[in-house]
Amino acid sequence: MNVLQLKGITKEYQLGKSAVHALRGLDLDVGQGEIVALMGPSGSGKSTLMHILGALDTPTGGTATFEGHDLQQLEERRLVELRGHKVGFVFQTFHLVPTLSAQRNVELPMVFSRIGKRERARRAQELLKRVGLADRAKHKPNELSGGERQRVAIARALANDPPVILADEPTGNLDSETGNSILDLLRRLCEEDGKTVVLVTHDPEAAAIAHRIIRLRDGRVVEETRNV
Amino acid sequence: MFRDFLALAGASIAHRRMRSWLTVIGVFIGITAVVALISVGLGLERTIDQEVAKLFGVDTFILMPRGAFGRPGAARTSANQFSLDLAWLRSVDGVRTAAAVRQQTGFVEGPAGEDGRRVRGFFPVVGLSPELITEFESFLGTLEVAPGGRLLTAGDEAVAVLGHAMARQMTVEPGDTITVQGDADAEPLALTVVGILSAQAQDTPQQPAFAPGVPDSPDTIFIPYETMGLLWGRAEDVRLTLVKTDPGRDVNEVAARAEAHLRAQGTEVSAVTYTDISEAIGTVTSTVSAFLAGIAGISLLVGGVGVMNTMFTSVLERTRDIGIMKAVGASNANIMTLFIIESGLIGLVGGVVGTFLGLGVSAVTSAAIGRVFDVHVAVVASPMLIFITLLGSFTLGAFAGLWPARRAAKLPVVDALRYE
């Protein structure tokens, strides 16, 4: 069953007086429990695609469905719910709230989901333990290394136990050893928890954990390969 | 949820400690000024109330010509004298004692001088109930008689106390006799002078010999109230009546009853109690306080603009954080609430600091006023004042943060996440 389905997706931006065509009629299906790597040069539309998949942005044309629901037809309240419960985002630059400790950052999605304080703390500690940061829970992001921050971001993405993880160049700012441990973590999320992972990367090594590799160029899918 | 948002807002305020404090200073200066002015105003009102009660007596009321006391525009009567049956007034239920003051102009003849000539002329004659002196001491000014004389006492009949100018003019001394002619058809009365008011007491305008309303010019002749009846008949020339009620009786109720009865008989009088007087003074002090607090409110407005400025900067600085929060499931309403709580908190902290400082300033000011005027000025720190101030300061902050918060809430997620 396809969790994510895109058909003829287009996205145009207005940059000053000129229009930028970020996506030009893109089709993509992502099945449940699948790891899909999106690759392509800068400006090929990878991040824009991720934002549309995660309901952070709306396409200009085409149809995007999430678990069968047309994202363009969903009202704002349902989109907020989808961002909070169905999708976990991991960003290249971590995007942690600097004023909050690692644990409070992990708790953040649960705060907006109105989960009780005690339950939140229990789940946050459990997730931090799972990503190997149980002893760094009280540290603020500026007291953590890049790898640690990304692991906090992964723990946060898992806070509400969403079925889909969208990781936008999660190893882009990390050394190869740390990057590998992050990739291993994402792989295990798919294998052990049955999560669907969509991964944007430039790195062939990162793409190697994916079941399928989709190559984009100029806002279109130009190649699709399946890892054996 | 609210508690979580409070913690998130608190973390953000603590993160920008210096700027937050500077904003709080902007708020608390205004709050301090407003609280201090209101507190001093209320303190003065309470002090005036106490002083009036002390001076006037909580059991006393005055009957005076209608319109002589009260709000501008109240019904006024052209007459400044009214008719009164003092014996009836004393018999009214709840009245313990009453004293009245009548005034007429009489033809007065002094004793024969050494050359056998007498000084004659028309002079103001004031009839006083002796109770005025014995029962209403607080209404008397610096009433003093020259050595060798005395004031009017109960049981006096054909006696007089003279103003010092009158006595000098007629070369009268205590023990001498003067003749006063009242109504044309009444017999002239020979009155024995028992005392002469001291010049010093009568010539000090700041501290008159009698209460306001009692004529006391230096050429006045003061005679017993009952004696006035012998000269001018029924009392239709009363200037002022002081009434003391029985202990435990509601002075306002007794006063209203007496007033209503007299008015029903066509006597245009107003009954004035200490509450009327302190209310009248209170209206003036509250107006002044409200005006000053309004001026202080301008600095509050400036403080509010400071909060708004800080919140706009905060929204700008945390654009990416807003994007992150939205990406992990925050709704527009969540973001707006978060920022409103944050600005409200800044206002509230300003309110707490401002309230304490304001009460401190009020205490110092009250002490200074008390020292200058030699009274004890109460420092009013009512829970209601504190509650309203704190609620008001939170509201001020929250209101100032409304616009920036709305702007934060409306930021598109992707744009916010991309913000550098």
Side-chain angles (χ1 to χ4, degrees), chain A residues 13 51 56-57 80 83-84 91 95-100 104 108-109 111-112 114 120 156, chain B residues 1 4-5 7-8 11 15 320-321 324-331 334 413-414 417-418:
Chain A
Y13 294 111
H51 292 149
L56 300 184
D57 206 354
V80 168
R83 286 180 212 130
F91 301 95
H95 281 347
L96 299 176
V97 178
T99 55
L100 303 178
R104 299 283 302 282
L108 203 55
V111 168
F112 298 121
R114 297 169 179 262
R120 254 176 14 220
R156 184 183 61 191
Chain B
M1 191 84 169
D4 296 321
F5 280 15
L8 285 172
H15 188 70
R320 196 187 290 189
D321 291 357
I324 296 168
M325 287 192 271
K326 282 188 159 189
V328 300
S331 64
N334 288 153
V413 195
V414 175
L417 281 172
R418 283 201 190 115

Side-chain angles (χ1 to χ4, degrees), chain B residues 293-378:
Chain B
I295 292 174
I298 293 171
S299 58
L300 256 188
L301 194 73
V302 174
V305 173
V307 175
M308 198 183 278
N309 184 31
T310 300
M311 292 314 295
F312 265 123
T313 316
S314 179
V315 168
L316 211 63
E317 271 180 358
R318 290 158 64 203
T319 301
R320 196 187 290 189
D321 291 357
I322 293 165
I324 296 168
M325 287 192 271
K326 282 188 159 189
V328 300
S331 64
N332 287 359
N334 288 153
I335 300 293
M336 191 147 164
T337 310
L338 194 60
F339 276 85
I340 287 177
I341 289 176
E342 189 172 322
S343 59
L345 267 185
I346 291 176
L348 185 64
V349 173
V352 171
V353 178
T355 303
F356 281 110
L357 276 180
L359 291 177
V361 171
S362 162
V364 172
T365 314
S366 300
I369 293 173
R371 185 165 287 192
V372 171
F373 294 101
D374 197 24
V375 284
H376 171 74
V377 181

Side-chain angles (χ1 to χ4, degrees), chain B residues 285-300:
Chain B
T285 51
S286 343
T287 310
V288 172
S289 298
F291 175 70
L292 291 175
I295 292 174
I298 293 171
S299 58
L300 256 188

Side-chain angles (χ1 to χ4, degrees), chain A:
Chain A
M1 179 199 156
N2 287 330
V3 181
L4 297 160
Q5 205 162 30
L6 303 183
K7 274 199 188 335
I9 293 292
T10 58
K11 180 70 185 176
E12 282 178 31
Y13 294 111
Q14 205 61 36
L15 205 68
K17 281 181 181 171
S18 56
V20 176
H21 298 274
L23 297 175
R24 300 161 189 257
L26 185 143
D27 297 328
L28 176 70
D29 292 332
V30 180
Q32 195 192 340
E34 198 181 16
I35 302 181
V36 174
L38 299 176
M39 296 187 78
S42 291
S44 59
K46 304 183 299 291
S47 292
T48 305
L49 179 58
M50 287 292 262
H51 292 149
I52 289 171
L53 289 174
L56 300 184
D57 206 354
T58 47
T60 314
T63 322
T65 58
F66 191 106
E67 290 181 342
H69 300 289
D70 187 343
L71 290 178
Q72 284 121 299
Q73 300 301 319
L74 290 182
E75 51 189 75
E76 181 60 26
R77 187 175 57 83
R78 298 288 308 278
L79 287 176
V80 168
E81 209 175 285
L82 191 139
R83 286 180 212 130
H85 291 270
K86 299 287 186 184
V87 183
F89 256 102
V90 180
F91 301 95
Q92 180 183 0
T93 47
F94 326 124
H95 281 347
L96 299 176
V97 178
T99 55
L100 303 178
S101 68
Q103 183 174 324
R104 299 283 302 282
N105 263 289
V106 178
E107 285 183 26
L108 203 55
M110 296 187 269
V111 168
F112 298 121
S113 303
R114 297 169 179 262
I115 291 171
K117 195 177 175 182
R118 203 171 290 174
E119 173 63 7
R120 254 176 14 220
R122 190 190 65 74
R123 269 161 72 172
Q125 281 160 9
E126 196 180 286
L127 287 167
L128 284 171
K129 192 175 164 192
R130 185 165 178 196
V131 297
L133 288 176
D135 57 336
R136 311 288 275 168
K138 302 292 171 210
H139 289 70
K140 294 230 171 115
N142 62 358
E143 296 160 348
L144 301 172
S145 69
E148 287 172 329
R149 284 185 218 182
Q150 197 56 298
R151 279 188 278 166
V152 173
I154 292 174
R156 184 183 61 191
L158 295 171
N160 281 331
D161 196 21
V164 177
I165 302 292
L166 301 174
D168 193 354
E169 299 197 44
T171 58
N173 278 359
L174 305 176
D175 61 74
S176 58
E177 195 183 336
T178 316
N180 284 338
S181 73
I182 296 293
L183 291 171
D184 187 48
L185 195 59
L186 290 172
R187 189 179 49 75
R188 279 192 288 125
L189 283 175
C190 175
E191 286 172 4
E192 293 167 14
D193 299 10
K195 306 272 184 213
T196 304
V197 177
V198 180
L199 179 71
V200 166
T201 184
H202 283 292
D203 179 8
E205 248 183 80
I209 69 160
H211 301 118
R212 272 192 300 150
I213 300 171
I214 312 281
R215 289 184 192 277
L216 303 181
R217 186 181 292 268
D218 299 330
R220 288 193 189 90
V221 176
V222 288
E223 188 188 320
E224 184 178 334
T225 51
R226 195 167 282 274
N227 278 341
V228 185

